Structures are given as structure tokens and as C-alpha cells.
Amino acid sequence: MRENTSDPQSTPSPLSRETLVVSAGRPAAEHDAPVNTPIHLSSTFHGSGPILASDRAYGRFTNPTWEEFESVIGRLEGTDLPALLYGSGMAAVSAVLEQVPVGSVIVMPEHTYLGTMALARQMQDRGISRLVEVPIEDTDAVIRTLTEQVRTLPQPAGPDVAAPYVLFWAESPTNPMMEVADLPVLLAAARGIGVRTAVDNTFATPMAQRPLEWGADYVVHSATKYLAGHSDVILGAVVTADPELRRQALAKRSLAGGIPGPFEAWLGLRGVRTLALRVRQATANAQVLAERLAAHPAIASVRYPGLPGDAGHERAAAQMDGFGSVLSATLHADAATTEAFVDAVRLWTPATSLGGVESLIERRRRHSTEAKTVSESLVRLAVGIEDVEDLWADLLQALDSVTR
Ligand SMILES: Cc1ncc(COP(=O)(O)O)c(C=O)c1O
């Protein structure tokens, strides 16, 4: 498969991520060449004779517009191997989960994104793998579980059948409980005992943490969220620094076809140019809102790793560059009053999702599949880049309207 050779900085470089989001993944800097990658609408590519691995060949295998975005995501995550784009975050998640051989075990946080958890449950129901849930904040308990699962793995079903393994799937911070995992310790421990590892880095973004640098085998993104950044496209990505794992994932994507459209990839590439600015502004807003909500009498508790009293604060301060821009707040109220609060906002948008320029708010238990350990009165706030005083004024009037 053709890699992006047109990128002027395709060798390892000390460029900061603030620069990379702008400068990586562009056409060759030649006289009269376009500055931006066009949307390549072509389902096939010229060619004859045997198809080489370096050929584009067909639009299900690669596309020049994807390649530019893939190179940006790979480099943001700290590898010169381009990411692989998918038609959605869930297609990227399933590209990693569905690789596990029969008899494998998938270990996941109790509060894993509900779609990912549902997929792992379906795989269990189909007899492919087992799902084991762990309290991700408890590092010792997670390592004990991983060790035990490795020890009790079944033998392969036959000499030509792939050997089962343990896949440790991590999210940090978790969705929507905002628990922070000790990723450097957990990933090192997992690697040491032969556990394969994947981190969904959607919430944190590569601006805040780069799990490949701690030894993760895969990083997965719902690029729908911060990477694309404008709530106008559904996209996913898988990143790995291991050429063999990338080759396998690319072969599977080419066969299974969970690919994005070139226009969607172009929107993602356009959106990622402002990732650094958006993340910085949204993170600053989230910090202010978390502090003010925590002090408000209508709020029972706030989870945000940027709060000094938060259970994940010290860990996040040590391992993340910034605390992200999602927070959860639990109201002193029942489910109906919490819904009324969500309905009372005027500037915020009541909607699921996160990572766009606009601030979204959602009572998470409106999803019937959300974990029952999530309070009925918990709202997830996905903070955008608006003026923080306007965001706060809107939350205040909505809180006043339901607590009056
Ligand atoms: C953490 C996380 N991972 C994966 C996904 C799935 O991504 P998509 O909606 O792009 O399929 C989501 C979607 O909300 C998510 O929040």
C-alpha cells in the first residue's frame, strides 16, 4: 500500500503537536501544487500487471485523501506509521476487537464506552471471546485480573488455529465516569505478561496523552469527536507503531471494507488543523465550569480530573498534558428533574457525542444500555469553545429554573 511520501516532514522530527496538526499531511511543496489535499473521488486507480503491496489499486484499499489524514493522526500519536481510517469509531473499535482468536479474553473497564462494551458482549454471546470487566482506577486489581486471565487461557483449538490471547482494552478518562487509569503502569505490566493492549484515546486526544509511547499495541479513535471536531462527520481511526499489526489491520480493512468516504476524510483533515487550539480552549472552559459546578448547591458531585480533589487528579496531572474537556455532574435531583434541567438550557445543545466546537449536554441514563452504576441524575458535559461566561450563565439559568 502506498504510504504518504509527499509529506515534507515524513521523517521523525521534533515538531510539536501544535505545529504537526497544521503542517503534516499536505501535498508535496512544488510550484503551483495545491496547498491542501483535494477530495479524491475515485473508486479505482490506473494499473496493470501484478498488484504490489505499494499499489493503491482500488478504492477499498486506500485513497490519497485518507492517506494525508492518516499520516497526521499517526504522527500526532507519536509514530511514523500512518493511522488507518475507518467509516466510524465503532468500525475502528471492531477492527481491533474482532481480531481476537476464538477462546481469547477481553478485559475492559466497567465504564467502557457503551458501544464498545456491547460489541464485546456480542462476541461473548457468539462464543468467540469472554468479557471481563475491571475497576480501572484500581491498578492492583486490574493487574491481578490480567495475570489470572493469562494463566487460564485455553490451548488453541488445533495446530493451524491462532492461539487465544488476552486483550486489555483501556479508556482513560472513562466515559462518562471520568475515572483515570494508571496507563503507564498498566500498559507496562500488560506487555510484561504477554497481554495485547488497546487504548481508546478519543476522550483525551493525542494532545493530552499518547498511549503508544507507554507501549500500547493499538490506539483507537472515534475521529468523529475531537480529531474532526465539528460534529459534521462520522469517522474512526486505528493507530499502531507495530508494522505487522498495521499490515494485519490493513488487510482486514481492505477485505471487510469498513472504510470512510473521501469527503468525510477531507472534512476530518480540515478539522484536525485546529485541534490544538480547540482542545486548549475547551479544556480551559471545562476547568472553570467544573470548579463552579462543584461549588453549586444543586450539584451533588462533579467528576473532572482537573479538580484538585478529584480521585484521578494526581494521576492525570502526572501522565496527561491537560485534563480534557468532558466532565460529569450529578444533581441533587431525580431523573425527571435532571432531564428538565437538560431541556432548560438555551446555549448548550442537549445531544449525545462530544469533541465538537459546540457544548453538548446529556443525561447519560437516557441510553438504555448505559451502565447501571451511572447515576440517573448524572449529566455529561462535553465542553466546547464558546465564551465560558456565556456557557456558565446558561447552566445557571437552567439550574435555577428547575431548583426554584
Ligand atoms: C469513547 C468512544 N469511543 C468510540 C465511540 C464510537 O465512535 P463513533 O460514534 O464514531 O462510531 C464513541 C462514540 O461516542 C466514544 O465516545
Side-chain angles (χ1 to χ4, degrees), residues 88-90 113 171 175 200 202-203 222 224-225 234-235 354:
S88 68
M90 282 311 297
Y113 168 61
E171 284 181 27
N175 177 15
D200 183 332
T202 301
F203 264 49
S222 168
T224 309
K225 309 294 181 341
I234 300 281
L235 277 173
L354 59 132

Side-chain angles (χ1 to χ4, degrees), residues 228-366:
H230 295 77
S231 305
D232 52 8
V233 68
I234 300 281
L235 277 173
V238 171
V239 202
T240 175
D242 180 328
E244 178 52 22
L245 291 184
R246 186 180 187 279
R247 191 197 60 72
Q248 290 169 7
L250 173 56
K252 185 70 199 282
R253 184 186 69 175
S254 299
L255 264 183
I259 56 166
F263 179 55
E264 283 73 13
W266 183 87
L267 277 175
L269 183 60
R270 181 182 167 120
V272 84
R273 299 298 182 205
T274 54
L275 178 71
L277 289 174
R278 287 185 284 104
V279 166
R280 193 182 311 151
Q281 172 75 18
T283 302
N285 283 353
Q287 182 73 38
V288 172
L289 296 176
E291 286 168 10
R292 291 185 187 176
L293 281 169
H296 193 283
I299 302 296
S301 62
V302 173
R303 283 297 313 252
Y304 180 65
L307 291 176
D310 189 87
H313 179 68
E314 279 180 26
R315 228 175 237 176
Q319 70 194 34
M320 295 174 75
D321 303 320
F323 301 109
S325 51
V326 180
L327 58 113
S328 64
T330 305
L331 277 68
H332 284 299
D334 59 11
T337 310
T338 307
E339 278 294 352
F341 161 63
V342 169
D343 281 337
V345 296
R346 296 182 194 135
L347 172 62
W348 289 71
T349 302
T352 197
S353 202
L354 59 132
V357 290
E358 67 290 307
S359 294
L360 305 182
I361 185 166
E362 179 182 42
R363 191 180 73 87
R364 282 303 284 183
R365 286 291 296 280
R366 69 190 275 255

Side-chain angles (χ1 to χ4, degrees), residues 50-344:
I51 296 176
L52 306 177
S54 56
D55 287 340
R56 287 201 175 104
Y58 187 52
R60 181 161 26 85
F61 307 159
T62 188
N63 173 286
T65 313
W66 308 352
E67 288 163 18
E68 302 286 29
F69 192 25
E70 289 174 334
S71 111
V72 178
I73 300 172
R75 295 184 63 201
L76 288 176
E77 289 290 358
T79 172
D80 282 329
L81 278 186
L84 292 168
L85 272 190
Y86 291 82
S88 68
M90 282 311 297
V93 169
S94 81
V96 173
L97 292 188
E98 301 263 356
Q99 300 238 359
V100 304
V102 172
S104 295
V105 180
I106 300 175
V107 177
M108 282 184 170
E110 288 155 344
H111 297 114
T112 301
Y113 168 61
L114 50 87
T116 305
M117 186 75 102
L119 200 58
R121 284 211 182 97
Q122 282 186 4
M123 290 171 62
Q124 175 163 268
D125 294 345
R126 278 157 46 220
I128 294 171
S129 44
R130 278 193 305 114
L131 169 63
V132 176
E133 297 176 35
V134 284
I136 198 70
E137 285 176 313
D138 186 342
T139 306
D140 290 343
V142 177
I143 294 174
R144 263 198 313 277
T145 302
L146 293 173
T147 309
E148 180 60 13
Q149 294 303 328
V150 170
R151 203 178 57 76
T152 54
L153 272 176
Q155 293 298 313
D160 301 326
V161 177
Y165 56 75
V166 176
L167 173 68
F168 172 47
W169 184 276
E171 284 181 27
S172 180
T174 60
N175 177 15
M177 299 299 271
M178 307 309 299
E179 300 143 311
V180 179
D182 192 338
L183 285 181
V185 168
L186 289 174
L187 292 169
R191 179 164 280 263
I193 54 173
V195 167
R196 195 163 286 192
T197 54
V199 179
D200 183 332
N201 209 23
T202 301
F203 264 49
T205 85
M207 303 309 297
Q209 72 187 11
R210 289 153 306 271
L212 296 182
E213 292 173 0
W214 298 321
D217 292 309
Y218 303 98
V219 160
V220 173
H221 278 280
S222 168
T224 309
K225 309 294 181 341
Y226 292 96
L227 296 184
H230 295 77
S231 305
D232 52 8
V233 68
I234 300 281
L235 277 173
V238 171
V239 202
T240 175
D242 180 328
E244 178 52 22
L245 291 184
R246 186 180 187 279
R247 191 197 60 72
Q248 290 169 7
L250 173 56
K252 185 70 199 282
R253 184 186 69 175
S254 299
L255 264 183
I259 56 166
F263 179 55
E264 283 73 13
W266 183 87
L267 277 175
L269 183 60
R270 181 182 167 120
V272 84
R273 299 298 182 205
T274 54
L275 178 71
L277 289 174
R278 287 185 284 104
V279 166
R280 193 182 311 151
Q281 172 75 18
T283 302
N285 283 353
Q287 182 73 38
V288 172
L289 296 176
E291 286 168 10
R292 291 185 187 176
L293 281 169
H296 193 283
I299 302 296
S301 62
V302 173
R303 283 297 313 252
Y304 180 65
L307 291 176
D310 189 87
H313 179 68
E314 279 180 26
R315 228 175 237 176
Q319 70 194 34
M320 295 174 75
D321 303 320
F323 301 109
S325 51
V326 180
L327 58 113
S328 64
T330 305
L331 277 68
H332 284 299
D334 59 11
T337 310
T338 307
E339 278 294 352
F341 161 63
V342 169
D343 281 337

